[in-house]
Amino acid sequence: MAVKRGDMVRVIREKLENSVEAKASDTRFPDYLFDSKGEIVDVKGDYAFVKFGEVPTPNIWLRLDQLEEFK
């Protein structure tokens, strides 16, 4: 997925839950990751820094293959 700053995305549940990153930390992910839109703040290599602005949450780095366009 080609993304740029300002794009609106959401997380693909299956790709995040089965990732190496998920297995290294708490796997109880909040629903807003999958149900609400997040904005790409920055992109570095294979990762995007995503801000979920509808709820007061911290920004998070996610792999690009774990994201899809929010429709």
Side-chain angles (χ1 to χ4, degrees):
M1 171 180 173
V3 297
K4 63 186 181 307
R5 293 174 82 182
D7 285 352
M8 302 309 275
V9 296
R10 77 168 134 211
V11 178
I12 303 169
R13 183 181 298 272
E14 297 78 24
K15 292 195 177 185
L16 180 59
E17 288 178 340
N18 297 318
S19 69
V20 172
E21 296 87 354
K23 293 177 182 174
S25 61
D26 189 354
T27 58
R28 296 173 294 167
F29 296 108
D31 288 334
Y32 71 82
L33 289 175
F34 312 108
D35 299 333
S36 64
K37 60 184 171 182
E39 178 183 356
I40 302 286
V41 176
D42 195 9
V43 177
K44 290 189 180 182
D46 293 334
Y47 289 85
F49 197 47
V50 183
K51 174 179 78 172
F52 290 90
E54 295 181 15
V55 292
T57 61
N59 300 347
I60 183 172
W61 284 99
L62 295 162
R63 280 196 340 252
L64 295 175
D65 68 329
Q66 297 169 340
L67 301 172
E68 66 182 359
E69 180 184 358
F70 188 87
K71 297 179 184 178

